[in-house]
Amino acid sequence: MVNSCFSVAVFCVCASIFAVLLRRYCTEQSLMIAIAACAVVMIGFVTMVQPIITQVQKLFADAGISSDYISLIFKALAICFITQITCDICRDSGETAIASGAEIWGRGAITVMALPLIEALVETISDFL
């Protein structure tokens, strides 16, 4: 795991240096390098996390917790990661207003996704009372 973290760190630093050097000559291509580097890291992250997701699903199933709740948790995490990377790329390209819009969208998406969970929580509390 440490080796893969080191490899990702070196890849990201090299991509950043290349993007900064290229920014002087062509900002569009510099942005594309940043987006491509993020995509490569995200693909690697998804492949690394897949066994963890399977293990967490098994743990929740053994505990008798609905798989719908697990799905909500992982979807919320995905929204957080995607929103963060999107906002960072927008800010790097100088578009802070667009980054703020993406943050609002991400927060709203998580709020909407959480509604069934909040509903179930209220029902559970009502049953206890």
Side-chain angles (χ1 to χ4, degrees), residues 77-93:
L77 281 173
I79 289 171
C80 289
F81 289 142
I82 292 167
T83 301
Q84 182 66 46
I85 290 172
T86 301
C87 292
D88 289 344
I89 289 172
C90 289
R91 284 190 184 97
D92 282 350
S93 63

Side-chain angles (χ1 to χ4, degrees), residues 14-29:
C14 289
S16 296
I17 291 170
F18 191 56
V20 167
L21 291 174
L22 195 58
R23 188 174 297 146
R24 290 182 179 169
Y25 305 107
C26 187
T27 56
E28 296 85 10
Q29 290 179 353

Side-chain angles (χ1 to χ4, degrees), residues 2 11 13 33 48 61 74 76 96 100 102-103 113 125:
V2 173
F11 172 76
V13 168
I33 288 172
M48 179 185 71
F74 285 120
T96 56
S100 295
E103 284 177 344
M113 270 185 29
I125 292 171

Side-chain angles (χ1 to χ4, degrees), residues 14-127:
C14 289
S16 296
I17 291 170
F18 191 56
V20 167
L21 291 174
L22 195 58
R23 188 174 297 146
R24 290 182 179 169
Y25 305 107
C26 187
T27 56
E28 296 85 10
Q29 290 179 353
S30 173
L31 181 61
M32 290 300 143
I33 288 172
I35 291 171
C38 288
V40 168
V41 171
M42 285 300 292
I43 290 169
F45 175 74
V46 168
T47 58
M48 179 185 71
V49 172
Q50 194 64 31
I52 296 169
I53 292 171
T54 305
Q55 184 66 28
V56 169
Q57 286 174 336
K58 184 180 179 296
L59 289 172
F60 274 58
D62 291 345
I65 300 172
S66 174
S67 63
D68 294 338
Y69 300 133
I70 302 167
S71 176
L72 283 174
I73 291 169
F74 285 120
K75 286 178 184 178
L77 281 173
I79 289 171
C80 289
F81 289 142
I82 292 167
T83 301
Q84 182 66 46
I85 290 172
T86 301
C87 292
D88 289 344
I89 289 172
C90 289
R91 284 190 184 97
D92 282 350
S93 63
E95 299 296 334
T96 56
I98 295 172
S100 295
E103 284 177 344
I104 291 170
W105 181 268
R107 290 178 187 141
I110 288 177
T111 303
V112 169
M113 270 185 29
L115 289 177
L117 187 60
I118 294 169
E119 203 174 281
L121 180 64
V122 169
E123 285 178 18
T124 303
I125 292 171
S126 297
D127 291 343

Side-chain angles (χ1 to χ4, degrees), residues 2-17:
V2 173
N3 289 338
S4 62
C5 281
F6 183 72
S7 298
V8 169
V10 169
F11 172 76
C12 289
V13 168
C14 289
S16 296
I17 291 170

